């Protein structure tokens, strides 16, 4: 199946961007409690699943397997810690996800976590390094049918949370390709961009961010799929692929993926 903005499709073979890849999980095992890291990076991180999850088959994608989860249960989808130095010690990174929300509106309170790097047993914003989620919280002033990204930027003595939404109606109850790129200009500005199905939906430029760009990240935090620490903010939907890069992907690379 061709991968275009109007007809997106997750990978079923070769052709994906490998340069800068530090973690890649296809969720196509179809059984068991492990999801293999396909990145072949120096330090690979296979995921260990827990909670109430179901393996399913997508007949429209040549019977590709995927992982389905539900926000109606207090279930978590935990994984082993990733080697974050590959991105945390740099000045740019990208988060990529192929997901299918059960409903366009995410769980409330939300956002339902697609991918987060945060403190164990504490899902507060103040203890997150980054978070990609679906939906919002009741007081945010946004419709829940959007995607939300946060990143902690700056050094440990002068850091802040940079946050943005993709906009009302950008999340749909269908398979979507979400990519967020984060890059520092080497001087003082951090730029965060989020794309949905190859279309740039929101750009945030945050001034006065000192180097190291991610110096405030805590090396004890762990990467989690589908929920945040304490088994809260569970993503309600299906996972087809998640990837982490230690660079900001270009639009051409995003469309290739």
């Amino acid at each position: 199946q061709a991968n275009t903005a109007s007809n997106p499709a997750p990978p079923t073979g070769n052709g994906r961007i490998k340069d800068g890849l530090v973690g890649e999980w296809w969720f196509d095992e179809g059984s068991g409690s492990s999801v293999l890291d396909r990145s072949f990076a120096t330090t690979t991180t296979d995921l260990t699943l827990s909670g109430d999850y179901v393996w399913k088959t997508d007949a429209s994608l040549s019977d590709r397997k995927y992982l389905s989860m539900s926000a109606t249960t207090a279930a978590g989808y935990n994984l082993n810690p990733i080697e974050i130095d590959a991105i945390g010690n740099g000045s740019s990174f990208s988060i990529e996800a192929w997901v299918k929300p059960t409903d366009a509106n995410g769980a409330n309170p939300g956002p339902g976590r697609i991918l987060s790097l945060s403190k164990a047993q504490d899902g507060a914003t103040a203890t997150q390094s980054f978070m990609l989620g679906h939906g919002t919280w009741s007081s945010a002033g946004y419709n829940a049918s959007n995607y939300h990204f946060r990143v902690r930027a700056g050094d440990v003595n002068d850091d802040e949370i940079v946050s943005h939404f993709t906009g009302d109606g950008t999340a749909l109850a269908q398979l979507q390709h979400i990519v967020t790129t984060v890059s520092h200009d080497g001087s003082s500005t951090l730029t965060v961009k989020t794309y949905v199905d190859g279309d740039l939906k929101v750009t945030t430029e945050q001034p006065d961010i000192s180097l190291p760009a991610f110096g405030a990240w805590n090396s004890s935090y762990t990467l989690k799929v589908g929920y945040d620490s304490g088994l809260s903010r569970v993503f309600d939907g299906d996972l087809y692929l998640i990837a982490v890069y230690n660079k900001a992907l270009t639009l051409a690379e995003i469309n290739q993926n």
Side-chain angles (χ1 to χ4, degrees), residues 134-185:
H134 169 227
T136 185
W137 57 95
S138 57
S139 60
Y142 287 86
N143 188 285
S145 58
N146 71 87
Y147 295 99
H148 181 199
F149 183 78
R150 303 177 193 142
V151 60
R152 180 172 297 282
D155 67 32
V156 68
N157 296 314
D158 184 22
D159 67 295
E160 58 183 291
I161 294 291
V162 181
S163 174
H164 70 198
F165 296 86
T166 54
D168 297 348
T170 54
L172 304 173
Q174 65 186 43
L175 187 58
Q176 293 189 288
H177 186 212
I178 317 303
V179 177
T180 294
T181 67
V182 183
S183 59
H184 195 280
D185 66 359

Side-chain angles (χ1 to χ4, degrees), residues 2 30 35 42-43 64 77 87 91 101 143-144 159 165 171 185 200 204 230 235 244 247 249:
V35 179
T42 302
T43 301
R64 189 192 193 280
Y77 302 86
I87 50 177
S91 60
N143 188 285
D159 67 295
F165 296 86
D185 66 359
L200 178 60
T204 300
F235 171 66
V244 180
K247 68 172 190 175
L249 294 172

Side-chain angles (χ1 to χ4, degrees), residues 116-141:
S116 64
L117 181 65
S118 59
K119 183 179 180 181
Q121 302 306 314
D122 185 352
T125 301
T127 56
Q128 291 175 350
S129 294
F130 66 75
M131 185 280 298
L132 175 64
H134 169 227
T136 185
W137 57 95
S138 57
S139 60

Side-chain angles (χ1 to χ4, degrees), residues 47-221:
L47 314 188
T48 302
L49 302 173
S50 64
D52 184 15
Y53 58 89
V54 179
W55 291 105
K56 293 185 177 181
T57 300
D58 191 332
S60 69
L61 293 174
S62 302
D63 290 337
R64 189 192 193 280
K65 308 298 182 182
Y66 64 93
L67 185 70
S68 183
M69 59 184 68
S70 171
T72 60
T73 63
Y77 302 86
N78 200 7
L79 43 142
N80 304 319
I82 192 173
E83 179 57 61
I84 68 167
D85 286 350
I87 50 177
N89 286 345
S91 60
S92 62
F93 69 97
S94 300
I95 304 299
E96 177 190 16
W98 281 94
V99 298
K100 183 194 296 181
T102 298
D103 190 281
N105 293 324
N108 192 353
R113 281 19 174 190
I114 296 171
L115 184 72
S116 64
L117 181 65
S118 59
K119 183 179 180 181
Q121 302 306 314
D122 185 352
T125 301
T127 56
Q128 291 175 350
S129 294
F130 66 75
M131 185 280 298
L132 175 64
H134 169 227
T136 185
W137 57 95
S138 57
S139 60
Y142 287 86
N143 188 285
S145 58
N146 71 87
Y147 295 99
H148 181 199
F149 183 78
R150 303 177 193 142
V151 60
R152 180 172 297 282
D155 67 32
V156 68
N157 296 314
D158 184 22
D159 67 295
E160 58 183 291
I161 294 291
V162 181
S163 174
H164 70 198
F165 296 86
T166 54
D168 297 348
T170 54
L172 304 173
Q174 65 186 43
L175 187 58
Q176 293 189 288
H177 186 212
I178 317 303
V179 177
T180 294
T181 67
V182 183
S183 59
H184 195 280
D185 66 359
S187 177
S188 62
T189 301
L190 189 82
T191 301
V192 183
K193 299 180 178 182
T194 297
Y195 302 78
V196 179
D197 293 336
D199 292 331
L200 178 60
K201 296 300 184 182
V202 58
T203 299
T204 300
E205 292 187 345
Q206 184 68 40
D208 302 321
I209 298 296
S210 57
L211 291 171
F214 314 117
W217 288 15
N218 191 312
S219 60
S220 69
Y221 289 3

